[in-house]
Amino acid sequence: MFAAWRQPRVMLWAAVGVVALGFLITLEIAARHYGLPGPMTNQAREVIFAPKSGPLLYASMALMMVVLTWRQRFIAAGVAVGIDVVFFLVRWAVDAKMMFGNGALWVLLACAVIAVTRRTGRERVLLLKGVGLGLLLVAGRKTGDTWLLITSKTRPAVLDQYVATADHALGNPSWLAGRIVKATGPVGTHVLDYVYIQLAVAAVVVALYQLRNVADERRFPGHHLVRTFLVIGLLGPAIYMIFPVVGPIFAYGADGGHWAVADLWPNTPAPISAPHQMSFDEITPRNCMPSLHTAWATTIFIHSRKGPRILRCAGTFWLIATLGATLGFGYHYGADIIAGVVFAFTIEAALRSLDRGWDRQGIQLVAYGTTVFAALLVSYRYLPMEMGQHPWVFGPLLILAMTSVVYGYVRTTKLWEPKAAPARQPEPQFELV
């Protein structure tokens, strides 16, 4: 009976692996078509050459180590650091680009080999799951980079004028945040820049707390942050292809060069005028709608709610700082933020429903979130003038639409929480006198 249950599960995971491999190969071919290396090539290069992000590789190794004992963790960390020291000395000697992280990748690959050659049964499966979790985080980053390349090459026209016009309903928050960040000077800029770049590392910190008991229980929890993170990264770029937007610092700022409408950001809000598609370069990614950084930061906030106070405070800080960075650096419009929050809560609701089993409340919540998200995109595209000219009507409507999805998620998930059974009262004792 156990074998009968196990076989379909093995076939399912094999099918998922084949689809994932096919997806990576497709992206590799697409990148090669434009004369650039794809995600598989870029990842293979980091075995020897300087990685793009050392902290991400070490964060991925930390995720893998949740399946190891403490002794094995210390050995793995020591080996990774030792390998990086050797690479550092060689690169310093030949005056090559300096970056750490190769050691962490070597340890990940070595653990995969050990799982296949030295482990059996549940130990092998658990170690392979840990390695897969770490490599998925790295592959997700490489896949995202290739997706951004594809958006810039295949979408020559962008819809920034539509979003900028609709953004008047929200009071042009990117322009306001840009001036605030500029006023904070280099200190504020550096802090927000670090938060923005190291978002994946923050996610790993929360995930490590959620997966802290994997080595003892010998199994992963049904739902955790990494699942949501990866699904957002997989589905988000598909929206980029439907709704290509480059962001205010490019479309309305100096960074856009001669492609920009004018050099307006962040001092002068974009005028309200009939929007139209505008051509843009083949370098800048069309990665604004929705704001995936906002979506990821929102999921970090959601998953940190059940942690200790320091983790809850860190999740709140990371969300606020990410919003400040996305708007203050001119990477996103306010409309992107609204869509990113709705996108995150809808994905999170779908994955939680998938884990616990679909019921009426879960289906309704996911359907409602999907409907609101689609309505936002349609409104930005076909009602921007009305939104910009009547901000006191459409601004509250946008906030209300986002808040309704958040409220629906909170209300529904509270119903899903297991309810504590009331303590049984002792039976009264009677004595015969």
Side-chain angles (χ1 to χ4, degrees):
M1 184 175 179
F2 178 76
W5 172 86
R6 184 184 177 87
Q7 189 63 28
R9 191 177 182 89
V10 171
M11 293 177 64
L12 175 62
W13 281 108
V16 170
V18 170
V19 171
L21 181 60
F23 180 67
L24 288 174
I25 293 174
T26 301
L27 286 180
E28 184 75 26
I29 294 172
R32 292 286 181 179
H33 175 72
Y34 295 109
L36 294 172
M40 299 174 72
T41 301
N42 282 329
Q43 192 57 67
R45 283 175 53 86
E46 291 188 353
V47 174
I48 300 297
F49 296 98
K52 183 177 181 179
S53 176
L56 179 65
L57 287 172
Y58 269 91
S60 300
M61 185 184 72
L63 271 182
M64 181 274 297
M65 289 196 299
V66 298
V67 304
L68 304 180
T69 64
W70 277 108
R71 178 176 178 274
Q72 292 168 339
R73 290 169 187 170
F74 283 121
I75 294 174
V79 171
V81 172
I83 293 173
D84 269 326
V85 169
V86 174
F87 271 96
F88 178 86
L89 294 175
V90 172
R91 286 175 182 144
W92 177 74
V94 300
D95 196 24
K97 179 182 176 182
M98 305 300 292
M99 176 54 73
F100 63 93
N102 300 88
L105 183 57
W106 278 44
V107 169
L108 275 168
L109 298 176
C111 285
V113 174
I114 291 172
V116 174
T117 60
R118 304 292 298 274
R119 297 287 187 269
T120 58
R122 292 182 61 186
E123 295 293 326
R124 172 184 291 176
V125 172
L126 187 66
L127 185 53
L128 285 176
K129 284 184 177 180
V131 172
L133 195 65
L135 291 179
L136 273 176
L137 187 65
V138 178
R141 175 68 175 270
K142 300 302 180 185
T143 300
D145 292 343
T146 304
W147 260 120
L148 297 185
L149 166 69
I150 293 174
T151 62
S152 64
K153 298 294 185 180
T154 61
R155 294 296 180 266
V158 298
L159 303 176
D160 281 76
Q161 293 189 29
Y162 292 87
V163 183
T165 303
D167 221 39
H168 282 272
L170 298 169
N172 301 295
S174 181
W175 272 257
L176 175 61
R179 293 194 294 272
I180 293 175
V181 171
K182 187 177 180 180
T184 62
V187 175
T189 300
H190 289 321
V191 171
L192 292 181
D193 184 59
Y194 181 83
V195 168
Y196 191 82
I197 293 174
Q198 301 300 341
L199 187 64
V201 177
V204 169
V205 172
V206 177
L208 288 176
Y209 175 79
Q210 293 180 321
L211 303 175
R212 65 192 183 281
N213 296 323
V214 169
D216 296 329
E217 299 176 359
R218 316 310 292 168
R219 63 182 181 85
F220 281 83
H223 179 56
H224 51 81
L225 174 60
V226 180
R227 294 180 65 193
T228 310
F229 226 72
L230 292 172
V231 172
I232 287 175
L234 179 65
L235 298 181
I239 312 299
Y240 295 162
M241 304 294 286
I242 299 171
F243 209 112
V245 181
V246 293
I249 196 173
F250 299 105
Y252 293 94
D255 287 21
H258 70 277
W259 297 96
V261 175
D263 188 1
L264 302 176
W265 188 88
N267 300 312
T268 306
I272 298 179
S273 58
H276 58 272
Q277 297 186 30
M278 52 184 285
S279 300
F280 216 79
D281 62 33
E282 296 184 358
I283 301 174
T284 307
R286 280 61 164 155
N287 62 336
C288 283
M289 183 62 71
S291 169
L292 293 195
H293 265 78
T294 298
W296 283 320
T298 300
T299 59
I300 291 175
F301 175 81
I302 294 171
H303 283 264
S304 65
R305 292 309 85 196
K306 292 187 177 181
R309 177 176 295 180
I310 187 172
L311 195 64
R312 296 197 302 270
C313 291
T316 303
F317 165 77
W318 223 269
L319 175 60
I320 295 173
T322 299
L323 294 178
T326 55
L327 293 172
F329 291 152
Y331 296 150
H332 289 280
Y333 303 90
D336 306 335
I337 305 300
I338 298 287
V341 171
V342 173
F343 188 71
F345 274 96
T346 304
I347 296 297
E348 179 68 19
L351 290 177
R352 287 199 63 174
S353 296
L354 182 65
D355 176 53
R356 69 182 301 275
W358 289 94
D359 56 12
R360 182 179 179 182
Q361 291 94 344
I363 294 172
Q364 288 177 339
L365 178 59
V366 174
Y368 180 69
T370 304
T371 302
V372 171
F373 182 75
L376 290 174
L377 296 187
V378 172
S379 299
Y380 298 156
R381 180 63 176 82
Y382 296 105
L383 298 174
M385 286 293 291
E386 290 79 2
M387 297 173 72
Q389 291 171 347
H390 303 91
W392 293 107
V393 176
F394 285 94
L397 282 177
L398 289 174
I399 300 299
L400 180 62
M402 179 188 70
T403 305
S404 67
V405 175
V406 176
Y407 173 76
Y409 175 85
V410 173
R411 182 173 178 272
T412 303
T413 52
K414 279 187 177 180
L415 295 176
W416 289 344
E417 295 294 335
K419 295 178 175 58
R424 185 176 180 180
Q425 299 296 326
E427 295 291 335
Q429 302 292 325
F430 299 97
E431 295 183 3
L432 296 177
V433 179

